[in-house]
Amino acid sequence: MTTVALPRVPARLGRFVLRMFRPHIYVTYGLLWVLALEGSAVSLSGTAWRPTGSTWVRVVSVVLALLFLRMLDEQKDFAYDRVHHPDRPLVTGAITVAELRGGMAAITVVVALLNLALSWAAVLLILLALGYGLLLVALERLSAAVTERQLLNLVVTYPVQILLGLYVYLSAAASGLVTGDWRAVPLLALCACVFLHFEFARKTSWDTEPGAHLYSQDLGARGSAAVAAGLAAGAVVCEVVLFGSDGTLGLLPCLMAALPAWGTWRFLSARRGSWPLPVAMGFVLGSYLALVARAVVLP
């Protein structure tokens, strides 16, 4: 059992974060997701939107929650990583389970205290998301199928993303910033489709490797590509339902559909290699940036 001197722990956690939770990716994603979701929810209520102090509490809380889940995944995936990713920090000893759990405990305290400034509802909602992440550990220990079957794993693990989306929306509603109505459903579905398009795209490949966790190994390359393309199409449908009456500017997010359309064509025509990942990432970032721009300008 590895023991680490306490003064060294912050530096080791910092190196873990820089390597496994790359800020330019994860922080950017969390930031744009919260701004796009909150901004769209407020503007759909007919109110002009600008980020406030509460907005930044939600941003920091979601980013820290994503880091909490990344730390949890590092522990859950240890057996898999020993075979397929032997250079991962937990496998090499660059970080220990105790250090990761200490970081998770600190994150839990910080997000709880931050959200006390919003409401008790916000505290409960963010802790519910973290708690579901912990529940996944027990589920994967009880059922090997949850770990080994990629589609089942997605069904079981994705709800934590839904809970984080609900935290953003419902905490804004609890503060009176958002007037909740039926449009919450297509708005949350829009965010889900955007994320899941990227999730399927990054695990879609013509190549197969024994033991690799790819959707294309369960659905086939064409089947997995079809799901990825269908999710992008679903995002566009949600955008039309939500913003179709706003005119050209309201439909600006729909223009981002050109990226997954090109990615689908490129992947299917190549018949080798993996989905062009930068295109899938561009769809996520472009969609959320367009939603933020729309919320700032409209109504």
Side-chain angles (χ1 to χ4, degrees):
M1 181 177 179
T2 303
T3 57
V4 179
L6 188 61
R8 295 176 56 198
V9 172
R12 286 165 60 88
L13 282 170
R15 287 192 291 270
F16 171 84
V17 170
L18 290 175
R19 181 178 174 190
M20 303 305 299
F21 190 78
R22 290 168 288 179
H24 65 286
I25 295 177
Y26 288 92
V27 175
T28 300
Y29 169 72
L31 169 68
L32 292 179
W33 180 21
V34 174
L35 295 183
L37 179 52
E38 181 188 293
S40 297
V42 173
S43 63
L44 285 170
S45 298
T47 305
W49 174 77
R50 293 293 184 276
T52 64
S54 296
T55 304
W56 301 120
V57 168
R58 282 185 270 274
V59 168
V60 172
S61 296
V62 167
V63 170
L64 288 177
L66 294 174
L67 176 56
F68 179 99
L69 296 170
R70 177 80 277 285
M71 289 176 165
L72 190 61
D73 284 343
E74 189 74 7
Q75 298 167 69
K76 289 194 304 171
D77 297 341
F78 179 71
Y80 178 83
D81 289 340
R82 289 183 67 181
V83 177
H84 297 278
H85 303 289
D87 61 336
R88 289 283 175 87
L90 191 58
V91 178
T92 63
I95 198 77
T96 66
V97 170
E99 289 172 301
L100 290 174
R101 291 178 179 175
M104 292 164 60
I107 287 172
T108 302
V109 172
V110 170
V111 296
L113 292 176
L114 279 174
N115 283 276
L116 276 175
L118 301 182
S119 66
W120 277 105
V123 175
L124 293 175
L125 287 164
I126 193 65
L127 292 182
L128 179 62
L130 300 185
Y132 186 83
L134 294 174
L135 177 62
L136 293 176
V137 177
L139 289 175
E140 292 190 7
R141 286 176 179 170
L142 289 172
S143 173
V146 173
T147 302
E148 296 168 1
R149 295 169 57 185
Q150 193 64 22
L151 290 173
L152 177 60
N153 183 266
L154 179 65
V155 170
V156 171
T157 60
Y158 182 70
V160 73
Q161 292 276 337
I162 296 176
L163 290 172
L164 287 175
L166 286 171
Y167 155 73
V168 174
Y169 188 92
L170 294 178
S171 65
S175 67
L177 187 63
V178 172
T179 303
D181 59 24
W182 65 271
R183 289 173 294 187
V185 174
L187 180 56
L188 292 170
L190 165 58
C191 293
C193 286
V194 169
F195 172 82
L196 288 172
H197 166 75
F198 173 75
E199 170 67 10
F200 268 83
R202 76 187 185 95
K203 295 182 179 179
T204 293
S205 175
W206 290 99
D207 307 319
T208 59
E209 178 184 341
H213 292 170
L214 299 174
Y215 298 112
S216 51
Q217 289 190 294
D218 293 335
L219 300 173
R222 290 183 177 85
S224 188
V227 173
L231 288 163
V236 173
V237 170
C238 291
E239 288 162 356
V240 172
V241 170
L242 290 166
F243 314 126
S245 61
D246 292 339
T248 303
L249 184 59
L251 292 176
L252 176 64
C254 296
L255 297 178
M256 294 302 111
L259 291 174
W262 186 86
T264 302
W265 174 83
R266 176 72 179 80
F267 177 77
L268 293 177
S269 61
R271 296 187 179 182
R272 59 184 176 85
S274 302
W275 190 286
L277 195 57
V279 178
M281 293 177 66
F283 177 64
V284 176
L285 297 177
S287 295
Y288 286 156
L289 280 171
L291 289 171
V292 172
R294 178 205 162 274
V296 169
V297 175
L298 294 174

